Amino acid sequence: MIIHPAEEGGFWAEVPAIQGCATQGDTMEELLKNPHEAVAACLSVKSVEFQYCSC
């Protein structure tokens, strides 16, 4: 996870290993509560994409 300051205040973080996976928080404490949910949601979406692939 890479943490960045947000231009409008607070912080945002990205998970480089999962394309498009990011989260944000008004404080560092809030930000650090969110990554697990963000990763779970990103992986859930990726799983659905693979399930319905008509390759």
Side-chain angles (χ1 to χ4, degrees), residues 28-50:
M28 185 65 72
E29 183 178 290
E30 184 179 317
L31 174 73
L32 295 175
K33 290 180 184 177
N34 296 335
H36 300 339
E37 294 173 9
V39 168
C42 289
L43 292 177
S44 172
V45 169
K46 297 290 183 193
S47 175
V48 169
E49 289 175 4
F50 288 123

Side-chain angles (χ1 to χ4, degrees), residues 12 21 23 29 33 38 48 53:
W12 70 278
C21 189
T23 187
E29 183 178 290
K33 290 180 184 177
V48 169
C53 179

